[in-house]
Amino acid sequence: HTGRSRNDQVALDMKLYCRDEIDELDELVRKLLEELLAIMEANTDTFMPGFTHLQKAQPVTLAHHVGAYFEMFSRDRGRLHDIRERMNYCPLGSGALAGTTYPLDREYTAELLGFYGPTLNSMDSVSDRDYVIELLSALSMIAMHLSRFSEEIIWNSNEYRFVELDDAYSTGSSIMPQKKNPDIAELVRGKAGRVYGALMSMLTVMKGIPLAYDKDMQEDKELTFDAIDTVKSLALFTGMISTMTFNKEVMENSAKNGFTNATDAADYLVNHGVPFRDAHGIVGQLVLFCIERGIALDDMTLEEFQAISPV
């Protein structure tokens, strides 16, 4: 213990723990990205409706839809990398707050422990938990992205029937034998709030702490441990999506309903010299025409199109 304090030792241990956990989380996100990429590569010609405001908007491919989540989780992986880079400096040698008179070789200690070098200010070293807050923020983002994707598993419902979940990742109802509940998706979605809570708690703990170390800071342990364990549900989520099957015909038929090609019709008119504002109104008339007759835009004859717009 010569030249050391509990303050710089606990700061060291927390950094070593967070660094190891970041590496584990990075690997879990990488495996999820691999599964998403496999779905994308297999579904470049799988058509489905794209949504805005929970309403059918335009046709897209399943690959493009899943690709949005690929981008989200790619950014998450980048954030984990950034945090690891920023935190990877060794606080040992800071003592309680003012260093020590012993001739410690802080550079060598940092090298042996896999750090880039020693921290530069001893008072900051023992009272810094920015990296914990950054990690909890990154975990909150991962949890939020997992929750958004879990919300998409409404596709499992009878109203959509876009996907079929594997029995290993769903459960039946206790009284309704026909039910197949997406429990993993729901639990992942529900636990996002728990991770957010850890972030807000840690921000609140740190906001009123003067330099240097204060005992309030031991609150960082339980919050961080729980948030990391919770986000490791990534493994279950990855298993769920890797075993899902997509009902491609149902998805394509759904894309054909709801006038999702209305924008394409407007673009057609624009490409033939009609100002978009006018084209927008013309297609609105086409949609009303179809609604009154219970048909889709695809079902209209050329004569019916031209009766509303000669273009």
Side-chain angles (χ1 to χ4, degrees), residues 197-262:
L199 172 61
M200 293 309 300
S201 294
M202 197 62 212
L203 284 167
T204 305
V205 166
M206 292 302 297
K207 74 174 182 61
I209 295 181
L211 290 173
Y213 183 83
D214 296 270
K215 202 66 175 177
D216 318 41
M217 292 165 65
Q218 73 177 13
E219 287 296 311
D220 65 345
K221 311 297 180 299
E222 185 179 6
L223 296 168
T224 306
F225 299 162
D226 184 72
I228 288 171
D229 287 345
T230 300
V231 171
K232 283 182 176 177
S233 62
L234 263 166
L236 288 170
F237 185 87
T238 301
M240 179 186 69
I241 66 163
S242 68
T243 56
M244 285 192 314
T245 55
F246 294 95
N247 298 323
K248 298 183 180 183
E249 186 177 346
V250 173
M251 297 173 85
E252 183 167 342
N253 287 335
S254 181
K256 292 176 179 177
N257 297 326
F259 305 105
T260 59
N261 52 1

Side-chain angles (χ1 to χ4, degrees), residues 17-33 73 76-81 83-84 132 134-140 142-143 146 195 224-235 238:
Y17 169 78
C18 287
R19 193 173 69 181
D20 287 347
E21 291 298 319
I22 285 172
D23 291 342
E24 284 192 32
L25 288 160
D26 178 73
E27 180 62 14
L28 289 172
V29 177
R30 186 189 66 78
K31 288 179 178 177
L32 174 56
L33 286 169
F73 290 113
D76 289 328
R77 200 175 179 202
R79 273 184 281 271
L80 290 173
H81 174 79
I83 295 164
R84 195 190 194 288
V132 173
E134 282 193 89
L135 177 55
L136 291 173
S137 176
L139 292 175
S140 294
I142 294 171
L146 288 170
V195 182
T224 306
F225 299 162
D226 184 72
I228 288 171
D229 287 345
T230 300
V231 171
K232 283 182 176 177
S233 62
L234 263 166
T238 301

